[in-house]
Amino acid sequence: MKAFLQISVGESKPSTLKLNLHSDTVPRTVLNFTTLLTRKAPNGYLQSKFHRLIPSFMIQGGDFTNGDGTGGTSIYGDEFNDENFTLGHDRRGALSMANSGRDTNGSQFFITFRNTAHLDGKHVVFGHVDMEDEESVRLLNLLEGLNVGKGDFPSLDVLMVGGGIVKKQEAPNETLVKEQ
């Protein structure tokens, strides 16, 4: 399954981050993400900020209730259990659930800037950035290069302004289905 996030950095025009999601391996986790992807804050990701950035490690978002890493909720209730740890944090651009311990997944997620295998078995990986897409790679590089302020907040607002699931047409071309 493929999805996308449209992200604005500061006052810039939004860029698109294309994502490959592993609904065959972690279907509940992917369903949580894709459902929240099409809802506006305070009930989903749209118009919410990435609230944490650690250079050479990751950027984190998905706290659409408090905006500071202390909130968020899943489509299954406040939290849901770890689905499995089949996929690893084995690459730049891994897409993984943030949590506060075992079986505490909500809505927060992070995208890695490098291999972070030390997180395997602790956080559920459910996808990765399409590193063959030039715009996605440029955006990931831009995000990693942002300055960081107090509390690991990015120095510029990093806002999810759009997103959705990529639907395949009968023709070989793909169409982005934007939910805003």
Side-chain angles (χ1 to χ4, degrees), residues 53-58 92 112-116 143-145:
L53 171 66
I54 301 174
S56 300
F57 179 41
M58 63 89 193
R92 175 175 174 78
T112 63
F113 295 133
R114 63 177 177 84
N115 178 319
T116 55
L143 295 172
E144 183 176 14

Side-chain angles (χ1 to χ4, degrees), residues 133-159:
D133 178 67
E134 289 181 24
E135 184 176 3
S136 296
V137 171
R138 277 195 307 273
L139 179 54
L140 198 60
N141 290 340
L142 173 68
L143 295 172
E144 183 176 14
L146 291 175
N147 290 325
V148 179
K150 186 178 179 181
D152 295 329
F153 283 89
S155 58
L156 296 172
D157 285 342
V158 180
L159 190 66

Side-chain angles (χ1 to χ4, degrees), residues 81-136:
N81 290 347
D82 297 320
E83 196 163 3
N84 65 56
F85 299 110
T86 302
L87 302 170
H89 298 83
D90 58 355
R91 66 178 84 186
R92 175 175 174 78
L95 181 61
S96 185
M97 292 302 294
N99 63 42
S100 58
R102 189 163 192 76
D103 296 328
T104 59
N105 299 291
S107 57
Q108 293 187 47
F109 65 92
F110 62 93
I111 302 168
T112 63
F113 295 133
R114 63 177 177 84
N115 178 319
T116 55
H118 65 282
L119 299 177
D120 291 351
K122 298 175 185 166
H123 297 271
V124 176
V125 175
F126 62 96
H128 62 275
V129 173
D130 181 352
M131 298 303 282
E132 293 181 10
D133 178 67
E134 289 181 24
E135 184 176 3
S136 296

Side-chain angles (χ1 to χ4, degrees), residues 49-67:
K49 294 179 184 178
F50 282 88
H51 61 270
R52 187 175 185 207
L53 171 66
I54 301 174
S56 300
F57 179 41
M58 63 89 193
I59 188 165
Q60 184 171 328
D63 178 358
F64 48 75
T65 56
N66 298 336

Side-chain angles (χ1 to χ4, degrees), residues 3-5 32-39 45-46 163-165 179:
F4 67 98
L5 276 171
N32 183 66
F33 180 80
T34 56
T35 301
L36 296 173
L37 187 60
T38 60
R39 295 180 182 170
Y45 297 140
L46 300 180
I165 300 168
E179 302 287 342

